[in-house]
Structure formats: C-alpha cells, structure tokens
Amino acid sequence: MTTGVIPGGHNPEPRPTGERMPQQRHQPGQASPHVETRTGSSVITARAAATFEPVGRSVATARAFVRDTLQGWGFADVVDDAVVLTSELVTNAVVHAGTHADVLCLRTDDGVRIEVADRYPEREVPLQGSAVNMGSPDREGGRGLQLCAALAARWGVEYTSTHKNVWFQLDLPERPVGTRAAGPSLPADLLPLADGRVRVAVVQIDRKGSISAWNEDAEEIFGHSAAEVTGKPLTDLAAWPHTPGTGTGIAEALQLSRWEGSYGIRGADGRVTPVYASHLRVRDTGGEPSTVCLLVRDHERAVLQTPLRLPASDAGVTPDGQSSDPFEVFIGSPAPDDLDGLLQRTVERARDMLDGDSAFLLLATDDETELEVRASTGLPSARQRFARVPVEAGPGRYGSARMPAVHDDLAAVPGAVPLLTGTGMRSVVTVPLKVEGRLTGSLGVAAEAPGRYSNEEALRLQFAADRIALAVESARLGELERLRRGSLSFLVEASDLLAGTLDRDQTLALMAQMTVPTLATWCAVYTIADQASDPYLSYVLHEDEELIDGIKSLLAKVPPPDPVPTPGARVWTAPGEHAHQAALRSSMRSLGLTGGPTRQVSSGIGPTLATASAVGGETVVLPLVARNRVIGMLTLGKPTDEHFRQEILELAEDLSRRAALALDNARLYSERTAISQALQRSLLPPGTPHIEGMEVEVIYRAAGEGNEVGGDFYDVFPIADNAYGFAIGDVCGTGPNAAAVTGLARHALRLLAREGLSGPAVLERLNSAILDEGARSRFLTLLYGEMRPQEDGSAEMKVVCAGHPLPLRLRQDGTVEAAAEPQPLLGVIEDLELYEQTVTLDPGDVLLCVTDGVTERREGTRMLGDDGLADVLTTCTGLTAGAVAARIMRAVERFASDAPSDDMAILAMRVPGLQKD
C-alpha cells in the first residue's frame, strides 16, 4: 500500500485547461439529483490517498486507512458509512476486477468525498438514460453502487480509457451552532481542579522547529521571556518522554497535522513543568507552514484534552452508541499479519496502557501443561525467548496462569513469576488468555517499583486480553499450520537426500547440514560401533565455519552423553558448563590474576570466549535408534541464552529417526561391500607369474559398485618345469552361488592340472564336481590351456574351449583367426567328450582370450561381437601383450557410452618378437 496526505488548500491535482472531462454517467434509469459530477465550488481542506494491491487482505487495509483518516479529521459521525462503502468498492476492484485500487479521501467544509478507482481495462460502459436493473442486493455485482445510492448524499461513476472511478459524498450531520462535542452535567465536586486563573500558553513554531511566538501566559508558566526564547528550537526546552518501542519524537510530532499529549517544558529555574499540549499544523497567507502549540499545566489537561471516543466502562461502544471493534481499539489498525508482530504489538500496548516498565506474553502448549515465552518488551528477550515454565506443578511453576493475579512485591514471593527472576522487576499483574474456557496464554505487565498495580489494573488488562485472545489463537493456529506444512516438506526433502546415498561419511554430513542452520546453530553427531563401544565424536558443524574447530576441541574434552534409548530430546548441560569454565580460566590467566584456578589449559586449539558463546545456550541430545539399537546421538545447540521451540524439537526428533535408519543402512551396506570385495579378491589369483620367453597381461573389470561378487575369473599358474596353465571362465549369474562355483573352478583347476592330467581330463572332472553341487550348481563356460615355451623362441599351446568365446590368434602379418573349436560348456551334462587342440605361436604372435562381457558390449541394437573384436585385434600387430590388452579395453569402453553391465576379463599372451616402432 502506498499513501500520501496533503492537508489544507484546494484540490492539488487540477485538470489542465482544455482537457476533456471524463464522461460522467448517471445512475441508469433515472436522472437523480443525488448523482452528479465533482463540484468545483467546494474548498478541499485536506486530502489523503492510498493504493492497494490486488490481494484479499487489501480490503481490510483499505477499511483501516479510511477509518483512521476520517477519525483524524474529526469525522466520526460518517466513519461507519464511509468504511462500508469503501469496503464494497475496493472488494470489486481488488477481488472481482483483480487490479490495484486507488482510494482518495477529500475533506471539505461540509463533508467528505471518497473516490475508489480500479484499472480494469475491459468493462461495459452504461449508456446514457438506459434502464438497467442492478439485480438483487444478494448479488455480488453492482452491490457497491446500490449501497452508494442508499447511503451517500451524492455519488457517481467516471470512466477513462484506463480507469473506472466511483465516488461518493457523505455530508456531516447538522449540529447546534458551535457544538463539536459535549459532556453531561456533573456535580461541582467531580469537576477537574484548576488554579485560580487558568493560563494557556500559546507557542508558535516555525518550519525549522524554532520558537517564533511566545505569549504572556507562557512567560508566567515557564519563567522565560519572549526575547529569551524566540529563535531557539523547542527541543532545547522540551523534556520529551522517550517511550521505549516508539519512534515519535518532539521533532516528528511538530510535523504532524495534529497532535495531542503530555510532555514537559524546562523553566527558567531549571525545573521541568509537566504540560498537556495540543498541536495544530497551519499555513500562513504566504504558504509557510508552522505549528501552533497550546499548553496548560498537566493537572489542568481537561481544558485542552479531547474527550475520549470510547468510555472506559465499555471500550467496544462509541459515544453515539454505535459498536466498534474492541480488538482494533487495543491493538491498533491495521493489525500485523504475522503472529510475532501481533504478539510484539500486544505487549507494547499492554505496557503503555498500564504505564509499566516491561511486559511479556506467553503461549500455552497444546496440552496446557507449559507456557512458552513468545514476546516481551523491557526484558532480556534473547535470554527469555522460547523458554518454558510449567503451569501447575514442578520447580519454577507459573503459579498464576489460569487466573488474574497481582503481585505487589516479587521480593516477598520469589519465583512467583519465573520469567522475571533477576530482572529487577518488583510488581507485576498477570491475566490469562482464554478461548472457550481453554487456557491459551498469559499476558503480564511489570514495574520496577513495588505496589504499582491493583485489581483495577488487573481488570483493565483482563479486558484487553479477552479482546485479543481469539485473534492470537487464530494467528497461532495459522502459524502452526504453516510450520507443519514446512516440516512435512522439510522431512520429505530430508528423506530423499538420505535415501540417495549409502556412504556412511556422506550420511553423517547430510545429517549435520540439514540441521544447521534450519533447526540449530550447531550440531554434533556421535556414533556407536557396537554395544561394547563408547560413543565416538564423528562429525561437528556450526553455521560459522571458524568456530567448528573450537567446538570440536571442546567436545573432545567433554565426556559424551549417555546413549539412552528413550525417545525425545533431553537437555545436556556439560558442553556449556565446560566452555564457560575454560573461558574463565583462559581469561584469568591472560589478565595475570592470582587466586583463580591454577590448572593449566592444554595447548592447541582450546575453548575461547567465542566458543563459550557459541555453545552457551540450550544444548539437547536426541538418540539415533535403528533396529532397536542405539547407534549414535544427534546433539543440537543454540548460542548463548537461547532456547529451542517445542515445534523445532519435535521436527528434530522426526529427522533423527530417519537419519538413524539411513546411517544404519549405510553401515550395513559398508559391511556387505567389504565382505563382497574380500570374497571377490579371494576368487582371483594373487598375481601373474613371470614366464621366461612369454609376455602375459591380464585386465579385469567388475561391473557395478563392487557390492556383488562377479562370475568372471581368470588364472595363470605353473604346472611343472617349463609348463604353465592358464584359464579364463564365466559362471552363470552373480552373488554367493556364482561365487561358490567360481572358487570351486579356480582351485580345482590348479589341483587337477598339477596331478599331471591332460586338459580334457581336468575339465571332465571339474564338470563332475560342479554337478555334485546340486541345486547350487551353475553352468560354466571355460577356456583352459597349457603353454610351453620352446627353445626356438616359439610357444606351444594346448587349448580346450568349453562353451567359451573362442581364443583369437594374431599373426605378425596382421591376420586374425580362431585358435580353437567350440565344445560343450560345463555343469550341464554328465558325460563330456572333450579334446584339446595344439596351437604353435611364432615370435610376435598373440593369443587373445576374453569373456563374453567384451564381445557382448552393446550400444542400442549394436553389439561388438566376435567380428568387431577381430577388427580391433588386427590393429595390434607388433604391440606388447600389455599394449594389446589396453587397446582392446579402450575399444570396448568407447564402443558404448553407458557403463558396462557385465564383468570383463582380458588375457593376452604373446611370444616376444620384433616390436613396432
């Protein structure tokens, strides 16, 4: 909302000469004298304008704007009609038309004119003289115009190409000549006291704030002559009451169009004379503004004081008997939209109403067993905010929460109001906030002097509390609903993040980063390896990274909290106490003081004053329980003297349950991965033996993240003098059952080959051993062979290929051919008739053996295949065995963009010869 106020003068926005007036349309169907255009003869004495956004709450804000404006002008007689009409017209603009609404209030000598304009570009312009039925009063459309016709003295509608402007004129009711306000006749003993002669000081202040006129009564009251004060700023003489929580000073008050209230004037003798003043901002004939101040002694304020619009006996009834909103009377208008703003304004108004030094407001928990500090003024709010005290029983209970109570002297009843302990407040009045008989909070006002309050003040405060209790509860429920929605969103996001990783360290980091700074200022995570282990400090995080090392060092010196499986947060005081003691010792040693603690502080990063401040607030511990076992603790902390809200602790408890399960899943996954990797390593040979006259290179790539045992294996081992066995195979499937067959095959090959059996005999007996496994058996493709380097530099290979991809031979001339014939795989049939084939490798020749993970590498519908592997191998002429294996692996990886989905093993054997340059 944007506003502007211009007091006095004529219409500040005259239309340029020659500009066509907007087309004026009368009320359809009649030529009523009440519908007319703006008259040019009325003298506009004040103007106020405001613009409201196209949102629902703007209607209430517009009502408050018009109400405050007209009451400030003294037009209380027409306020209600103006507010009703403005409400309907602004609703049409911001709700139905969906545009901004411009509200203009014009004050004239005989009444007030209000204009409401919207910016709806498309509308039906009523034709002159056409009869249009506006419909039923219950109909939304046109109701604002019907009300204008019923309530306004004059009204009309103006159109331009971009605006529609509805205006109405409300005339002031006729009063007896000279009467503005009147009170009843009173007995003489009830009339206010005054001196023998009532003196009214008249002081005029120019636009610069300096005194320009000072009458004789002012000289008599304050002792200053006109010559002594003329030209001096009024602020040099005024003793302005600087009320906490208000920003208006004497300089600001002199700029207002009208102001009324109390302050003091410092006289010639140095004493301050309390006065009651009425200020009026005026302009002289030259247009220069100045302020006329009428002042009387404070005890004679009845001479100037404007009668209260609302009698003290019933703040909800106006002098003319019409009802007013008691909530707005106390809290002001417009009321704050947020709960914290509403509560803060409540305590400030309550303090001012009872002329107290401080005020506070506590809200009850859902079960009404505790009260939580939510707003205070004049108290150390940082220390008290969100602190909790019990209502009925227990140490530090709030003994007067459910009934109004007045304490003349808290020194006589220490602890009666725990919130005020150690604050210097002596007297206090507290009243409950109740909605439908249920305790929702407590409002209190306190003073530093004893005996300040009586039952009369308690009744006044209770009256105000009754007026705001429903609004406070409604705002609290709205805030609670927003918090719950935010909590659900937070927990959903946290669950997604925690479920997205199975890494233990990353899970710990996520736990800390989700709590800081959303739930706490700092946090620490303790983990417990097993039931016999002590808690271990695993992770520390603070919103200020420079304090992390200090907190970590501090917590390392404090015994960890007990791993209690009881759900919920419990307070842990050890870090704060240890930090304060260490900071005290460090400060005393740096100052060279004697008589203090003499224990030396250890070297390195120690607790500092900053660390003590960081952990000096409330610290809570939540257990991390997963699968009925405490696996750690989540510690949350606040800085000095701050407390956790109950809603935050409940949210932290929900988060701790999810984090505990994620942390335990990460632990189980890490253990499983470690077991799988150890088993995988046991299925592969420890190393490749050195073979004189041969080059042997092996590359093995397991698919996945290492959490599954692969089915591919290879082996190269000595059999006898100058004889070596080699094997490369693939067991169907993965996991423990495949691993069992893999281990059986690799170890059986070594044992049987060293017994001197031929290749076919070794594989036939291995086939029988696999079939003996029964339901755990898996079929196995296997390429087994024996190599014997020859004296002439060649090598003799005897090969049996049982269902495995055929070995390829690369000659020095670049030709590639299969080095064996396919035979039945193992683990399917009992009677196998296998045979071996002999291949002689000449110097420079290469024998390449691979598993099907290489040949079955896919990219969409394309597959590398045996032919693609042969094409790659033809480019490897003259390369060493290691270079051949590396080139094959690069070609396989580049064939497809996706990560391999199957294990891959490559075994390259080469007879040394001339290498390619």
Side-chain angles (χ1 to χ4, degrees):
M1 182 188 77
T2 57
T3 63
V5 179
I6 305 175
H10 296 275
N11 187 351
E13 296 180 357
R15 300 185 185 277
T17 304
E19 180 180 347
R20 182 181 179 183
M21 292 292 290
Q23 183 180 6
Q24 171 64 34
R25 297 298 181 189
H26 296 281
Q27 173 69 13
Q30 61 180 351
S32 172
H34 295 287
V35 184
E36 57 187 51
T37 58
R38 181 184 302 179
T39 176
S41 60
S42 298
V43 176
I44 298 174
T45 58
R47 175 183 183 273
T51 299
F52 302 93
E53 297 179 353
V55 293
R57 64 175 181 272
S58 293
V59 179
T61 309
R63 288 198 299 265
F65 165 71
V66 172
R67 182 186 300 276
D68 292 345
T69 299
L70 299 190
Q71 286 182 345
W73 290 346
F75 288 177
D77 299 296
V78 298
V79 163
D80 292 335
D81 290 346
V83 168
V84 170
L85 295 177
T86 302
S87 179
E88 288 295 330
L89 298 178
V90 172
T91 300
N92 291 338
V94 302
V95 176
H96 301 310
T99 75
H100 287 72
D102 300 323
V103 179
L104 174 65
C105 300
L106 300 174
R107 183 181 68 184
T108 63
D109 296 333
D110 54 355
V112 63
R113 175 189 175 107
I114 297 178
E115 301 180 3
V116 179
D118 66 50
R119 308 174 187 179
Y120 190 55
E122 299 177 1
R123 61 175 59 84
E124 180 181 354
V125 180
L127 297 177
Q128 180 73 27
S130 63
V132 179
N133 182 14
M134 291 188 292
S136 169
D138 296 330
R139 181 174 173 266
E140 290 292 332
R143 189 168 62 187
L145 301 182
Q146 286 182 313
L147 288 173
C148 288
L151 300 178
R154 291 174 294 279
W155 67 279
V157 184
E158 300 175 356
Y159 288 96
T160 70
S161 59
T162 58
H163 287 69
K164 181 184 78 173
N165 187 30
V166 181
W167 63 270
F168 58 88
Q169 176 88 22
L170 296 174
D171 294 338
L172 292 177
E174 294 184 1
R175 295 193 183 98
V177 177
T179 302
R180 180 179 182 273
S185 299
L186 294 176
D189 57 348
L190 296 181
L191 295 176
L193 293 175
D195 292 341
R197 175 189 171 190
V198 177
R199 298 183 181 273
V200 179
V202 180
V203 182
Q204 192 157 359
I205 312 298
D206 61 20
R207 66 184 308 168
K208 297 180 180 179
S210 300
I211 299 173
S212 60
W214 184 269
N215 72 343
E216 293 180 358
D217 281 356
E219 294 184 9
E220 183 67 25
I221 296 175
F222 307 118
H224 298 289
S225 65
E228 292 174 344
V229 297
T230 301
K232 291 184 178 181
L234 181 63
T235 54
D236 290 351
L237 302 179
W240 188 260
H242 297 284
T243 304
T246 60
T248 304
I250 182 64
E252 290 81 2
L254 293 174
Q255 299 299 318
L256 300 177
S257 60
R258 183 181 293 276
W259 184 89
E260 187 175 322
S262 299
Y263 53 92
I265 295 292
R266 189 171 291 103
D269 57 359
R271 296 181 179 180
V272 174
T273 301
V275 298
Y276 192 85
S278 176
H279 297 176
L280 179 66
R281 190 78 163 161
V282 297
R283 286 190 301 171
D284 60 19
T285 55
E288 287 294 319
S290 63
T291 302
V292 176
C293 306
L294 305 181
L295 303 95
V296 297
R297 292 182 175 90
D298 190 64
H299 65 274
E300 298 171 339
R301 62 168 56 203
V303 176
L304 298 179
Q305 188 172 19
T306 301
L308 293 176
R309 296 191 183 97
L310 302 175
S313 60
D314 189 357
V317 179
T318 60
D320 56 4
Q322 296 181 349
S323 124
S324 177
D325 187 351
F327 171 78
E328 290 190 1
V329 170
F330 176 72
I331 206 63
S333 178
D337 294 332
D338 61 307
L339 176 61
D340 289 337
L342 175 61
L343 299 182
Q344 192 61 36
R345 185 180 291 186
T346 298
V347 295
E348 291 173 357
R349 294 294 171 88
R351 178 202 58 194
D352 295 341
M353 182 178 71
L354 298 188
D355 194 22
D357 297 313
S358 64
F360 53 89
L361 192 148
L362 301 89
L363 292 184
T365 55
D366 292 338
D367 56 6
E368 300 179 22
T369 60
E370 289 184 306
L371 291 169
E372 184 179 64
V373 180
R374 290 300 302 270
S376 64
T377 181
L379 295 174
S381 57
R383 176 169 66 87
Q384 304 292 349
R385 187 166 171 79
F386 300 122
R388 289 192 164 211
V389 290
V391 175
E392 298 293 350
R397 70 184 182 90
Y398 199 103
S400 56
R402 298 189 183 277
M403 295 292 292
V406 177
H407 297 279
D408 291 332
D409 193 351
L410 291 178
V413 282
V417 183
L419 179 65
L420 301 180
T421 302
T423 62
M425 299 297 160
R426 296 286 298 276
S427 56
V428 61
V429 53
T430 60
V431 296
L433 274 68
K434 292 185 178 181
V435 175
E436 297 180 351
R438 182 173 60 87
L439 179 68
T440 60
S442 178
L443 176 63
V445 178
E448 295 179 352
R452 283 282 300 276
Y453 302 114
S454 63
N455 290 339
E456 182 181 353
E457 282 80 8
L459 291 175
R460 291 178 59 195
L461 189 61
Q462 184 67 71
F463 182 83
D466 292 342
R467 297 305 186 267
I468 66 168
L470 185 59
V472 169
E473 180 66 4
S474 177
R476 187 187 73 85
L477 293 176
E479 181 195 62
L480 186 60
E481 179 63 22
R482 289 190 297 271
L483 283 174
R484 286 174 177 170
R485 291 182 180 179
S487 299
L488 289 176
S489 176
F490 173 79
L491 291 175
V492 168
E493 183 178 357
S495 299
D496 289 342
L497 291 173
L498 291 171
T501 179
L502 288 172
D503 182 81
R504 175 183 175 277
D505 293 338
Q506 189 173 359
T507 302
L508 290 172
L510 283 174
M511 290 171 57
Q513 292 166 6
M514 284 185 293
T515 57
V516 177
T518 305
L519 305 181
T521 306
W522 64 273
C523 84
V525 183
Y526 290 85
T527 56
I528 303 174
D530 52 59
Q531 298 292 345
S533 301
D534 294 329
Y536 173 75
L537 182 61
S538 300
Y539 202 92
V540 176
L541 183 65
H542 191 282
E543 61 182 6
D544 185 354
E545 295 182 357
E546 296 181 355
L547 297 177
I548 294 177
D549 290 337
I551 296 178
K552 188 181 299 182
S553 176
L554 169 69
L555 295 179
K557 299 173 184 177
V558 178
D562 297 330
V564 179
T566 306
R570 68 181 192 274
V571 177
W572 186 32
T573 60
E577 294 173 353
H578 188 87
H580 289 142
Q581 293 173 3
L584 177 61
R585 290 193 298 268
S586 178
S587 299
M588 294 182 68
R589 189 179 67 247
S590 65
L591 295 173
L593 299 177
T594 59
T598 57
R599 189 171 66 86
Q600 295 295 324
V601 180
S602 59
S603 59
I605 299 176
T608 62
L609 293 176
T611 303
S613 176
V615 302
E618 190 174 48
T619 301
V620 297
V621 178
L622 297 102
L624 298 175
V625 181
R627 298 176 176 89
N628 298 321
R629 186 173 72 87
V630 180
I631 64 172
M633 284 88 69
L634 177 63
T635 302
L636 306 179
K638 285 282 190 178
T640 301
D641 294 332
E642 287 196 19
H643 298 266
F644 284 98
R645 295 184 60 177
Q646 184 63 24
E647 293 83 359
I648 296 298
L649 293 180
E650 293 173 356
L651 181 58
E653 187 177 355
D654 286 341
L655 176 64
S656 67
R657 287 195 291 266
R658 290 165 169 77
L661 188 59
L663 186 61
D664 198 46
N665 288 340
R667 177 186 62 82
L668 294 175
Y669 176 79
S670 298
E671 292 177 356
R672 179 181 177 185
T673 301
I675 294 172
S676 298
Q677 292 174 347
L679 180 58
Q680 183 72 63
R681 288 191 296 269
S682 70
L683 299 178
L684 299 177
T688 303
H690 175 71
I691 303 176
E692 188 71 29
M694 290 292 296
E695 295 178 0
V696 179
E697 183 65 28
V698 177
I699 296 180
Y700 180 83
R701 294 284 189 275
E705 299 180 357
N707 58 331
E708 291 289 347
V709 178
D712 290 9
F713 69 95
Y714 66 91
D715 200 0
V716 179
F717 56 91
I719 299 176
D721 292 341
N722 205 35
Y724 297 87
F726 64 90
I728 184 169
D730 185 3
V731 178
C732 174
T734 59
N737 291 331
V741 177
T742 300
L744 172 65
R746 194 176 74 80
H747 293 293
L749 284 175
R750 287 197 173 209
L751 291 174
L752 295 173
R754 288 171 178 172
E755 290 294 324
L757 300 175
S758 64
V762 169
L763 267 61
E764 289 170 1
R765 297 193 180 188
L766 176 60
N767 181 64
S768 299
I770 294 174
L771 293 175
D772 289 342
E773 291 291 309
R776 296 183 301 173
S777 66
R778 293 287 190 273
F779 63 81
L780 168 67
T781 66
L782 180 64
L783 172 63
Y784 173 74
E786 298 178 359
M787 73 176 79
R788 289 182 172 82
Q790 304 298 313
E791 294 181 357
D792 60 357
S794 62
E796 182 185 74
M797 302 284 190
K798 294 184 178 181
V799 182
V800 181
C801 186
H804 201 76
L806 299 179
L808 299 179
R809 176 182 181 179
L810 172 63
R811 297 181 181 273
Q812 286 219 47
D813 59 3
T815 58
V816 176
E817 61 185 4
E821 297 177 353
Q823 300 185 59
L825 50 78
L826 308 182
V828 178
I829 59 177
E830 294 183 359
D831 298 329
L832 288 180
E833 295 183 0
L834 302 176
Y835 57 91
E836 63 183 7
Q837 296 172 276
T838 302
V839 179
T840 300
L841 298 182
D842 296 327
D845 289 356
V846 176
L847 184 67
L848 178 66
C849 309
V850 300
T851 57
D852 58 4
V854 174
T855 56
E856 294 179 2
R857 176 74 163 146
R858 293 180 180 274
E859 173 68 19
T861 58
R862 297 169 51 242
M863 187 172 70
L864 179 64
D866 295 334
D867 294 338
L869 179 63
D871 292 340
V872 177
L873 186 58
T874 58
T875 65
C876 299
T877 304
L879 299 181
T880 63
V884 171
R887 178 169 292 188
I888 297 297
M889 180 56 71
R890 285 197 302 271
V892 172
E893 291 175 343
R894 292 173 180 173
F895 185 80
S897 58
D898 296 337
S901 59
D902 195 5
D903 300 335
M904 294 184 294
I906 299 174
L907 172 61
M909 294 170 287
R910 178 177 180 272
V911 179
L914 296 176
Q915 297 186 10
K916 186 176 180 179
D917 294 337

